[in-house]
Amino acid sequence: MKLMDLMKIPSCTVIYPVDYKKAGFIVDDEMHRIMVKSLPAGCRLTAIFDSCHSGTALDLPYIYHSNGRLKGSHITPRALAEKATNADVISFSGCRDDQNSADTTQGGMAVGAMSYAFVTSLTRKPVQSYQELLKSIRDILKQNYQQKPQLSSSHPIDTSLRFIL
């Protein structure tokens, strides 16, 4: 997709692949079509996006507070029907759509701040719920960063259940 086409889309997330100057951007609708919509019933996908403006990168309809409560559907009923899938899709993103996702250096290596917090949280406590993991990641990040990682899903989930990668 070219920049002029992108500007016509009211609200979207894009990924810039290495060859974006030649091949163009990858739009969230395309990621949803390829990575979510095509999954068969019973299939599970856990996606982790540590990139700027990634809150709704896969266009999943349900977003959660760190206390585990559903924030609600961020899309209309018509769009919800279009985004529906029988697969079990969960996404952790580095920040809200209106935020940047920071980089950091850990152990002499450049890493995404959310990726570092995600691994740190699971290293410290390997068994935790989705809710605990989201809260832990946010707690680690809030010491040095403004970004608020997001948890979203293809259907309502019980965030008190054990996180399974």
Side-chain angles (χ1 to χ4, degrees), residues 2-139:
K2 302 299 177 203
L3 183 57
M4 293 307 293
D5 296 328
L6 182 65
M7 291 169 53
K8 296 176 190 173
I9 300 172
S11 174
C12 67
T13 300
V14 298
I15 298 290
Y16 287 85
V18 174
D19 64 346
Y20 79 93
K21 289 182 180 179
K22 181 178 177 182
F25 314 105
I26 303 171
V27 180
D28 56 359
D29 291 338
E30 188 77 358
M31 289 189 287
H32 181 87
R33 185 182 63 76
I34 294 168
M35 296 171 59
V36 176
K37 197 71 170 176
S38 64
L39 295 174
C43 183
R44 166 173 269 188
L45 168 65
T46 301
I48 301 170
F49 290 90
D50 192 358
S51 52
C52 297
H53 315 290
S54 59
T56 59
L58 286 181
D59 280 348
L60 299 177
Y62 300 99
I63 302 172
Y64 298 86
H65 291 281
S66 59
N67 65 8
R69 287 193 347 257
L70 188 62
K71 285 185 181 179
S73 175
H74 75 277
I75 58 179
T76 65
R78 180 175 157 240
L80 180 59
E82 291 174 14
K83 300 298 182 184
T85 178
N86 290 322
D88 182 19
V89 182
I90 307 290
S91 175
F92 282 91
S93 59
C95 59
R96 295 187 320 248
D97 281 343
D98 65 341
Q99 293 181 311
N100 290 321
S101 198
D103 293 322
T104 187
T105 303
Q106 297 295 327
M109 295 181 58
V111 296
M114 194 281 280
S115 296
Y116 171 76
F118 190 91
V119 171
T120 298
S121 176
L122 288 172
T123 300
R124 289 178 183 166
K125 186 178 176 191
V127 177
Q128 53 187 310
S129 69
Y130 287 95
Q131 177 183 345
E132 291 170 325
L133 180 57
L134 178 61
K135 185 174 182 332
S136 174
I137 292 167
R138 285 183 175 181
D139 287 346

Side-chain angles (χ1 to χ4, degrees), residues 138-157:
R138 285 183 175 181
D139 287 346
I140 292 167
L141 287 173
K142 78 179 177 183
Q143 298 169 29
N144 298 305
Y145 306 100
Q146 299 289 320
Q147 70 194 68
K148 287 190 82 172
Q150 303 295 297
L151 170 63
S152 59
S153 64
S154 58
H155 54 81
I157 61 170

